[in-house]
Amino acid sequence: MQDATIDRLSKLISDPRPGDEKNRRPTLNIHFSMQEGWFSLFLLATVVYSTIWSVQAAGWVDHLNILTLTTALGLIAGLIASKQHRLPSFAVHLIVLGVGILLAFWQTAGAFYSGNTAALLHGMHDWLAAALAGNSVEDDSIFLFFITALGFILAYTSAWLVYRMRSPWLAIVANAVVLLINLSNIAPAYTLFLIVFLMGSLMLLLRFNLRESVQRWRRQGLRYSDDLSWDVMQAGTLISIGILIFSWLLPWGYTSDAASQIWNTSSNPWVQLENTWNRIISVNAAYNPSNHGNFRDTLVLGGNPNLNNDIVFKVKSSNPGLYLESLSYTTYDGRGWSVGATENASQKANEAVAPESQVSQLVRQDVSIVNTPGEELPYLFGAPQIASVSMPATQVSTKNSGSQVAWLSKTGALSPGEQYTVYSYVSAADVESLRSVPLPANAPKVPANYDGQPPLTYYDPGVLSTYLQLPTNLDPNILSLARRVTANSSTMYDKAVALQDYLRSNYTYDVNIQLPPGQEGVSWFLFRSGNRGFCNYFSTTMAVMARELGMPSRVVAGYTNGVLEPNRNDRVIRGSDAHSWAQIYFAGYGWVNFEPSASFSTFDRPQPGQFTPGSLNPSSIGNSGTTPKRAGAGGFSSLPQETGSGTSTANAGQNQLVWRQRAGLALGSVVLLFLFACMFFGLWWRRLFRNYGLTKQIYGRICLLANWAGIELRRSQTPYESFQTLAEAAPGEAVVLERLGDIYVRELWADPQSMEHPRRSGEMNELPSLWKGLQPRLFMHVLRHPHFLRYLPERANKLTRKLWLRGRSRRLANKEEL
């Protein structure tokens, strides 16, 4: 009776009904497989997307979210192009490059111009004309277009290098370059991207080389274990994790001064390429995330700096009115400043350098870091000009003039709680002395073969060539206005004061402005800004107007002197104190500070005779500085400790920074563990029931998924009854499940020689396609009915206890043997 029922059910499932041949529509079955395995594509996507995510995290411009789709399309295009062999490679590259550019153009137009392609074309025309003319160009849409196109090309090239050129190393190196460039411009917590990148890269190399070796062994007729892939991937994963942990523990911060000088020289092709890129592809900085100061080797005239009120430094100074300088800029390109060509000199802790002026006062500042500012390089802050620092450092100076640009810590970026002492030479020239210094055009000249002491009012030609630079095609109205403002000033100092007072009196301090694309910053600020701007515009305008009049000048970035903390001797410097101001060079007296920004106090000048030339000897600094100390290690004896109940504002800011970093690392660890769990589950699932035939593998996996979803399958049930139970729980999959059940039963119990056996009838060939379509739907059913979560802790506990008992029995056996 049972056999008759099975035969009748089998015929109902397998035999076509009358008329089905006429009504059945041909189906299009597309089977796209990869000999390298889909897991290699997952690893490649991990490598590429960790790079793209770093670009998005850097936040160069708005709308970087479009890179996610562009990258996916680039990977797909690279995969398809590498697998086809009908078209020549050169033609394929041209086609894909054109598609990528059109895609980037379309997405950029949609992001910035609401889909108006004509407006984007006009902007590109203006950008190209300005770039060919040697001017600086700043347009966020142009930057987004290039980044989008490069993201597409990077993804396409990575897929081509892996699947066509068989060179995963080249793909990894290409992505690594982009990743490292972006990691140097984002918060340390985003090091997670580097971890994901390295893990994905190591696993991709391992997977790819294993696949290549297996294919070679097959061609040579060599035998290998079926478990080899699993064993190699498991061992490779553990080794990769070990490499990452070992790399994390290695010491860092070493720099070579000689190599640094060679690398940073202006003739370096990379430096030239970087300068060209910054000139023609820069960003408006229309939006800046909330920050407490960002310091880079370029200063862009952009939008609102969005400074917050976080405490950055606490400073005890012998002259509390001084600003803290980070670095100075030499070259103006119409949209911002750069440091130009520099050279480095290594300085030991407390080793003093000679002053640039003949009349200076020596100032000591004890700096305690509460929150580290955003820095491209580990800049040390101090009053201009720094003479020595209580830690090993590198002095950066201009190549042509030798003027100090910045000091860099050799131990890497300073961390919250760290402290250092800095001595600085501050110009002590009084007003009358500065008025005695002539303009460079009226200063005495020294013959080239002159070997004596030059006059006090002699200007070094290197200083003039470096600090009188101006971009070409500057608005002539700037010079006309500078001449009118200083028409009644007879001395160089009076002209500088006139420029300072004019800007302070006629322009309003306002951070809510934005330099329009394609316009030169000083001309726009003076004549078309509505007389509004913030410190970058004030200082830039005074420096450019001074250069127009023949006065060497520059812009300096750093912090103001903050406010005096009540009942204490420290000055508290916050993020909102980040500032830029102007300096003018006076022969014999060095760089003198000027404050052109409205609402900021002007600098005080010393009284006549308060300091005399030659009264300061660099060796007088000696070793009076202190070595840097961490918080909790005693600190500076002259710095009072925090008192009172509760947490101070500084500690609160520091704790918030620590908690943000910990939260970022914790979130990254969770994501990384999830990726590892998915990877291990995929490998385990593929090797599950591998020692059985295909029908048994599928039946075993279906029963396991049913168990996870809470569908009760009893041991007493026949396979038909089990599949009927599954079909009732998942009605949408009933047809496929009944078909699989019928093939499974007949493959086990039908006569192998009869045409009803699936191997004789050819029905076994249907199993891969049936299972391929059914498997993801069953997983989705499990996710909608996650019954396995109820007994997962119990199973984990049983497994742990089982392993513990096994280990205990082994230990007891070892003791008995001894």
Side-chain angles (χ1 to χ4, degrees):
M1 181 68 181
Q2 185 176 2
D3 293 339
T5 304
I6 293 175
D7 290 341
R8 186 172 57 183
L9 181 61
S10 175
K11 289 183 178 296
L12 287 175
I13 295 176
S14 59
D15 295 344
R17 290 177 297 177
D20 281 356
E21 291 80 0
K22 294 184 294 182
N23 298 328
R24 184 178 298 169
R25 296 181 180 179
T27 58
L28 179 63
N29 293 324
I30 299 177
H31 180 63
F32 187 73
S33 62
M34 293 176 55
Q35 63 176 356
E36 299 86 358
W38 291 105
F39 186 59
S40 66
L41 180 60
F42 169 76
L43 293 175
L44 177 62
T46 301
V47 171
V48 174
Y49 268 102
S50 60
T51 303
I52 297 302
W53 290 334
S54 71
V55 176
Q56 293 174 325
W60 300 104
V61 291
D62 293 333
H63 310 295
L64 284 175
N65 57 300
I66 65 178
L67 290 176
T68 302
L69 174 62
T70 306
T71 303
L73 295 177
L75 283 172
I76 295 172
L79 183 61
I80 295 175
S82 63
K83 292 299 180 180
Q84 68 83 34
H85 296 279
R86 294 190 176 184
L87 297 177
S89 300
F90 182 74
V92 171
H93 295 334
L94 286 181
I95 294 173
V96 173
L97 180 62
V99 170
I101 292 176
L102 290 177
L103 177 64
F105 182 85
W106 170 63
Q107 289 193 306
T108 304
F112 276 95
Y113 298 98
S114 301
N116 189 344
T117 56
L120 179 57
L121 281 174
H122 180 72
M124 288 183 170
H125 177 270
D126 294 342
W127 164 79
L128 182 60
L132 294 177
N135 298 328
S136 176
V137 186
E138 190 172 319
D139 189 341
D140 288 0
S141 64
I142 300 298
F143 188 90
L144 181 65
F145 169 76
F146 274 95
I147 287 295
T148 306
L150 289 175
F152 179 89
I153 294 172
L154 178 65
Y156 169 78
T157 304
S158 299
W160 180 272
L161 289 172
V162 171
Y163 296 114
R164 188 63 172 267
M165 302 300 295
R166 325 299 290 180
S167 301
W169 267 112
L170 295 178
I172 292 172
V173 169
N175 284 272
V177 171
V178 179
L179 176 69
L180 293 177
I181 290 175
N182 287 277
L183 286 181
S184 63
N185 294 280
I186 57 180
Y190 288 107
T191 308
L192 169 68
F193 294 146
L194 179 60
I195 297 174
V196 174
F197 174 84
L198 292 175
M199 194 68 194
S201 300
L202 292 171
M203 296 298 294
L204 176 62
L205 290 173
L206 181 64
R207 177 72 176 178
F208 189 84
N209 290 328
L210 175 63
R211 189 74 184 185
E212 294 286 291
S213 299
V214 168
Q215 290 183 346
R216 186 172 65 254
W217 295 338
R218 287 176 178 175
R219 290 193 301 267
Q220 296 173 353
L222 301 177
R223 299 182 62 183
Y224 56 90
S225 172
D226 294 336
D227 295 337
L228 179 64
S229 298
W230 165 253
D231 294 339
V232 171
M233 293 301 296
Q234 186 180 33
T237 302
L238 296 177
I239 293 174
S240 301
I241 295 175
I243 291 175
L244 292 178
I245 295 175
F246 178 73
S247 302
W248 190 272
L249 297 176
L250 286 176
W252 62 278
Y254 171 76
T255 58
S256 172
D257 295 326
S260 178
Q261 292 184 27
I262 295 174
W263 178 256
N264 292 318
T265 181
S266 59
S267 59
N268 186 342
W270 175 259
V271 174
Q272 294 176 349
L273 177 63
E274 185 179 11
N275 292 336
T276 303
W277 172 267
N278 291 334
R279 179 178 63 83
I280 65 175
I281 305 293
S282 54
V283 295
N284 253 334
Y287 171 75
N288 291 305
S290 177
N291 64 94
H292 42 261
N294 283 309
F295 299 92
R296 306 173 55 84
D297 60 0
T298 56
L299 181 71
V300 178
L301 297 178
N304 190 335
N306 200 15
L307 300 171
N308 57 37
N309 210 36
D310 292 346
I311 296 178
V312 182
F313 299 123
K314 284 192 173 184
V315 180
K316 179 182 179 182
S317 174
S318 58
N319 186 341
L322 296 176
Y323 286 3
L324 286 181
E325 177 181 329
S326 172
L327 74 162
S328 61
Y329 301 96
T330 60
T331 306
Y332 178 65
D333 60 11
R335 301 283 297 190
W337 293 84
S338 60
V339 298
T342 60
E343 55 187 6
N344 298 343
S346 179
Q347 300 294 139
K348 298 178 181 179
N350 302 312
E351 180 182 5
V353 299
E356 296 184 33
S357 60
Q358 297 189 22
V359 179
S360 301
Q361 55 173 314
L362 188 62
V363 175
R364 170 175 172 161
Q365 293 171 309
D366 295 329
V367 182
S368 178
I369 297 95
V370 179
N371 286 298
T372 53
E375 295 181 307
E376 180 179 11
L377 297 172
Y379 299 114
L380 294 172
F381 290 78
Q385 163 205 8
I386 292 180
S388 71
V389 183
S390 61
M391 63 173 61
T394 299
Q395 182 190 195
V396 183
S397 56
T398 58
K399 195 170 185 180
N400 293 332
S401 66
S403 294
Q404 190 177 112
V405 172
W407 280 60
L408 308 176
S409 170
K410 280 189 175 182
T411 58
L414 301 177
S415 58
E418 196 165 355
Q419 301 171 339
Y420 66 92
T421 297
V422 57
Y423 283 89
S424 300
Y425 303 120
V426 178
S427 176
D430 57 77
V431 173
E432 293 303 321
S433 298
L434 294 175
R435 281 178 174 156
S436 66
V437 180
L439 285 162
N442 303 325
K445 304 295 188 293
V446 173
N449 57 355
Y450 184 79
D451 58 356
Q453 181 69 24
L456 181 65
T457 56
Y458 168 74
Y459 285 92
D460 189 309
V463 173
L464 298 181
S465 64
T466 302
Y467 294 102
L468 289 178
Q469 171 272 338
L470 287 171
T472 58
N473 302 324
L474 203 60
D475 187 352
N477 292 321
I478 299 175
L479 176 58
S480 299
L481 177 61
R483 287 174 174 171
R484 290 198 303 271
V485 170
T486 61
N488 297 325
S489 303
S490 57
T491 68
M492 177 175 167
Y493 176 77
D494 291 331
K495 292 180 183 293
V497 173
L499 294 175
Q500 171 186 268
D501 293 345
Y502 174 79
L503 295 175
R504 295 174 60 86
S505 302
N506 294 278
Y507 292 82
T508 304
Y509 196 91
D510 187 357
V511 297
N512 296 314
I513 65 166
Q514 178 61 53
L515 177 63
Q519 296 203 33
E520 189 274 320
V522 174
S523 177
W524 176 81
F525 174 66
L526 286 174
F527 308 116
R528 296 180 296 279
S529 67
N531 291 21
R532 297 179 303 110
F534 55 91
C535 57
N536 291 354
Y537 291 88
F538 281 94
S539 59
T540 296
T541 300
M542 179 172 179
V544 169
M545 294 177 76
R547 289 188 179 189
E548 288 275 35
L549 296 174
M551 296 186 289
S553 58
R554 67 184 184 186
V555 168
V556 179
Y559 289 91
T560 67
N561 58 339
V563 296
L564 186 64
E565 193 171 16
N567 304 322
R568 304 182 70 89
N569 213 12
D570 300 341
R571 297 198 71 87
V572 177
I573 298 176
R574 301 179 180 271
S576 55
D577 295 318
H579 190 50
S580 69
W581 62 97
Q583 290 181 342
I584 294 181
Y585 186 84
F586 289 82
Y589 298 101
W591 293 100
V592 177
N593 293 321
F594 288 87
E595 181 54 271
S597 297
S599 75
F600 285 79
S601 301
T602 58
F603 292 97
D604 295 330
R605 308 291 178 208
Q607 297 298 318
Q610 185 175 352
F611 300 93
T612 57
S615 62
L616 182 62
N617 186 352
S619 62
S620 63
I621 297 175
N623 293 322
S624 56
T626 59
T627 57
K629 298 180 181 178
R630 298 281 180 181
F636 292 103
S637 59
S638 56
L639 285 175
Q641 303 296 318
E642 298 287 348
T643 58
S645 60
T647 305
S648 67
T649 306
N651 288 334
Q654 182 177 344
N655 290 336
Q656 289 178 5
L657 177 63
V658 172
W659 278 112
R660 285 197 298 267
Q661 293 176 348
R662 290 180 178 177
L665 291 176
L667 179 61
S669 301
V670 171
V671 174
L672 195 60
L673 288 174
F674 176 75
L675 292 176
F676 285 155
C678 291
M679 181 182 65
F680 280 116
F681 177 80
L683 294 174
W684 172 79
W685 184 256
R686 290 185 61 181
R687 69 190 295 266
L688 189 64
F689 307 120
R690 67 188 186 282
N691 295 326
Y692 297 92
L694 182 59
T695 55
K696 292 183 179 179
Q697 290 183 23
I698 295 176
Y699 181 70
R701 290 191 174 103
I702 290 176
C703 292
L704 186 60
L705 290 174
N707 189 22
W708 290 349
I711 303 174
E712 184 179 359
L713 299 178
R714 295 186 298 274
R715 293 179 180 272
S716 60
Q717 288 179 319
T718 65
Y720 279 127
E721 291 172 338
S722 298
F723 277 102
Q724 182 62 32
T725 303
L726 292 172
E728 292 174 356
E733 315 302 331
V735 176
V736 178
L737 287 170
E738 290 177 357
R739 179 64 174 161
L740 286 172
D742 176 63
I743 295 175
Y744 172 72
V745 170
R746 288 189 287 116
E747 198 270 338
L748 288 179
W749 292 294
D751 184 2
Q753 303 302 322
S754 68
M755 292 303 298
E756 292 186 355
H757 196 280
R759 295 188 184 276
R760 300 276 293 178
S761 63
E763 292 173 290
M764 291 293 292
N765 297 329
E766 298 181 26
L767 291 179
S769 60
L770 290 174
W771 176 240
K772 184 177 181 181
L774 178 64
Q775 180 177 227
R777 295 195 290 270
L778 291 181
F779 271 109
M780 290 302 299
H781 185 83
V782 172
L783 293 177
R784 289 193 295 268
H785 307 84
H787 183 78
F788 65 94
L789 294 178
R790 299 179 182 179
Y791 65 87
L792 190 61
E794 180 183 351
R795 289 289 181 90
N797 185 37
K798 288 182 179 179
L799 179 61
T800 303
R801 182 170 178 81
K802 182 179 179 181
L803 294 175
W804 180 79
L805 291 174
R806 184 182 300 175
R808 181 183 178 185
S809 61
R810 288 179 179 176
R811 290 192 297 269
L812 292 175
N814 293 334
K815 288 183 179 180
E816 292 178 356
E817 291 178 359
L818 294 175

